Amino acid sequence: MRAIEGAAMASGQVDGAELMERAGAAVAAAVLKTWGMDRRRAIVLCGPGNNGGDGYVIARSLAQSGWNVVVKALAAPATADAKQARGKWVGPVEPFALDPAELDGAPVIIDALFGTGLVRPLAPGVWGALDLAQQAGCPLVAVDILSGLCADSGRVRSLSGYPERPADLTVAFHRAKLGHVLAEGGRLSGRLVIADIGIEPWHQDFLRAEGEAVVDEAHPGAVLPKETGHKYAHGHALILSGGTGRCGAARLAARAALRVGAGLVTLACPEAALTENAARLDAVMLRPIDDSASLRALLADRRLNALCLGPGLGTGAREVGLVAEVLAGGRPTVLDADALTILARDSHLFGMLHAGCVLTPHDGEFARLFPKIAAALAAEPDDERAAMSRVDAVRAAAAQAGCIVLLKGADTVIATPTGLCAVHAALRDRAAPWLATAGAGDVLAGLIVGLIARGAHGFGAAQGAAWLHVEAARAFGPGLIAEDLPEMIPRVFRTMGF
């Protein structure tokens, strides 16, 4: 944002004061739209920087709309634009403090203290004041981002804890920031409104200049309708399964791969498990695979163009051999669950990973695969060091592994070895808490391999699958179990116009 705003101002078409006026007016408009008939009283908390300058504009705009506004300043304005905005505010400016008595009637509290420019932990008392206001029932509005959240990582930068409740409203300028969707920021940002402040032309220049350094929002672009062609034109996915009694996860992945449009799906399992799987599968084909040699023979069929192993696979000698055989073949491969456990304990196999692989760890598996990166990600920020973000961590992991890494969570992050990165946030209006159920990850792996079988690149397939996974969960709603997810895919496709 600093680069984009700087380019806009350098053009001579707009200056910082005008951008501040637009930002403050946008926040005031959002507040009026949300509470205009109910509250009509606000306390605006202003910091010394440009976020505080936005606060003075907000105060003026609300006062002009008939609101009773009190401004409390943490410090005097320290930038030229903030000083100009302060000069236009004709009301009183009180010292920064909140008295419980002035919170009677629950006025709207507007946090214009630090915003995205925060570079050090908040001093004790700042979030204590916000927490006091929330306990009194006051709605809390964050200007650009809640003070104390790192805009890059979403991690908390505070020396005195942070409120348990999220902001009621965050008004962000131009685009959402990573801190609105990653880590604690995803929850604490509350309802997110994006305000246009008129800098889109310079944003496009920035995107062209930055290229792969830009983090994208995950999208379902790899999800394609079927228009022509026979089944072999849509790929043949192979899912490797564990033995008797451990095949359910692989069946979930296979069902998902078929539902997402793979032309054919084969589940390969030990011969002793064929009967169990045959009793539960119809359109999914079965092949016996007892060892690496039998897998090698099956893989002689080059029409098997996408592989998935890990769900319910097991971690014994047979499974280690299967992982080695698959990686040696170099075909596009999704590795999940037990396959990740095998990779984490076998550095030789880890070294066999190639650009066609997609790893899909949850946080625990990520820590076993990439212990040093995970330790850095878990480290608390302090005065000298900002927190590592999940984006930085997954980019580093993808570079180390030499393949695509998808780190699962409400803030799923997907990265390639070259640094391409996308975030899929299942938050706010796209929250899907019902995905916290056994087998949901196996379905995600199946969706990814199904899309790869249809011709999608692993990075696009991972994005499309993450998006479909959440949409399927939202289509079903409460009570979801993993078996329901593949059956919701046709409904999601219909909403997409397929």
Side-chain angles (χ1 to χ4, degrees):
M1 283 296 293
R2 282 190 293 272
I4 295 166
E5 290 175 345
M9 290 185 284
S11 73
Q13 298 180 45
V14 67
D15 59 20
E18 174 58 27
L19 291 178
M20 189 170 286
E21 289 289 327
R22 294 176 188 178
V27 176
V31 170
L32 291 170
K33 183 177 180 179
T34 305
W35 293 288
M37 301 303 294
D38 299 326
R39 302 283 171 172
R40 294 196 175 275
R41 189 160 70 93
I43 299 175
V44 183
L45 308 177
C46 292
N50 284 340
N51 197 248
D54 296 337
Y56 291 111
V57 178
I58 295 164
R60 173 160 42 90
S61 297
L62 290 177
Q64 290 171 350
S65 298
W67 276 45
N68 181 348
V69 181
V70 173
V71 173
K72 293 178 177 285
L74 188 65
T79 71
D81 293 331
K83 290 176 182 177
Q84 183 174 329
R86 165 67 182 89
K88 292 181 179 180
W89 167 246
V90 297
V93 177
E94 301 178 3
F96 178 81
L98 287 178
D99 187 325
E102 64 187 335
L103 301 179
D104 288 346
V108 176
I109 306 297
I110 297 176
D111 166 22
L113 292 166
F114 289 103
T116 61
L118 185 70
V119 294
R120 62 184 184 278
L122 285 186
V126 174
W127 258 3
L130 301 183
D131 192 41
L132 175 66
Q134 286 186 308
Q135 290 184 32
C138 299
L140 177 59
V141 178
V143 178
D144 214 4
I145 195 166
L146 187 67
S147 291
L149 289 179
C150 173
D152 294 321
S153 69
R155 298 281 295 278
V156 170
R157 300 204 73 181
S158 171
L159 300 176
S160 57
Y162 55 90
E164 293 183 2
R165 284 167 287 188
D168 294 87
L169 173 67
T170 294
V171 183
F173 306 132
H174 184 62
R175 290 290 193 277
K177 316 304 183 295
L178 288 172
H180 294 130
V181 297
L182 296 177
E184 296 96 335
R187 179 180 67 84
L188 291 174
S189 294
R191 184 167 72 90
L192 182 65
V193 171
I194 308 300
D196 180 10
I197 58 172
I199 56 176
E200 185 64 27
W202 298 278
H203 179 101
Q204 296 306 317
D205 291 342
F206 172 79
L207 291 181
R208 284 188 288 271
E210 291 295 303
E212 292 188 357
V214 175
V215 180
D216 199 3
E217 183 179 9
H219 56 81
V223 181
L224 301 172
K226 281 188 175 179
E227 296 176 349
T228 60
H230 51 75
K231 58 189 177 185
Y232 286 107
H234 295 282
H236 189 167
L238 175 66
I239 317 293
L240 301 186
S241 172
T244 304
R246 298 201 313 267
C247 304
R251 288 196 297 267
L252 286 169
R255 182 80 172 179
L258 201 60
R259 279 291 190 196
V260 84
L264 301 95
V265 177
T266 292
L267 189 149
C269 63
E271 188 166 6
L274 285 173
T275 301
E276 173 189 330
N277 284 314
R280 301 294 305 276
L281 298 172
D282 294 310
V284 174
M285 298 181 290
L286 292 171
R287 293 291 185 274
I289 293 291
D290 284 307
D291 52 29
S292 301
S294 54
L295 175 59
R296 190 178 312 122
L298 179 60
L299 291 178
D301 184 352
R302 302 303 299 181
R303 293 175 299 181
L304 294 164
N305 65 329
L307 313 181
C308 175
L309 65 163
L313 182 67
T315 58
R318 166 189 175 267
E319 290 75 37
V320 170
L322 297 182
V323 172
E325 189 66 39
V326 165
L327 292 179
R331 262 175 262 199
T333 302
V334 178
L335 297 119
D336 185 45
D338 289 342
L340 300 178
T341 298
I342 291 171
L343 290 173
R345 72 187 189 195
D346 191 321
S347 59
H348 173 70
L349 288 179
F350 187 94
M352 293 176 67
L353 291 168
H354 54 80
C357 294
V358 180
L359 310 184
T360 59
H362 54 58
D363 286 342
E365 291 163 340
F366 186 87
R368 293 194 291 275
L369 284 164
F370 308 101
K372 292 183 179 179
I373 298 172
L377 179 61
E380 291 296 325
D382 56 30
D383 286 332
E384 303 297 327
R385 181 186 64 246
M388 188 181 203
S389 77
R390 282 169 72 87
V391 163
D392 293 335
V394 179
R395 276 177 160 159
Q400 179 180 328
C403 66
I404 296 160
V405 176
L406 179 153
L407 177 56
K408 292 184 280 197
D411 51 350
T412 291
V413 179
I414 308 157
T416 72
T418 63
L420 277 173
C421 187
V423 175
H424 183 273
L427 300 166
R428 292 177 275 274
D429 59 344
R430 294 199 72 247
W434 316 289
L435 283 173
T437 185
D442 306 318
V443 174
L444 177 62
L447 293 174
I448 298 172
V449 76
L451 291 173
I452 292 174
R454 297 194 61 195
H457 183 272
F459 183 59
Q463 292 183 68
W467 188 90
L468 282 175
H469 198 230
V470 167
E471 288 301 303
R474 294 178 66 243
F476 190 92
L480 174 83
I481 58 175
E483 288 93 324
D484 301 319
L485 286 166
E487 310 318 304
M488 290 295 104
I489 297 298
R491 181 184 298 183
V492 175
F493 282 166
R494 287 192 292 272
T495 65
M496 297 173 70
F498 290 0

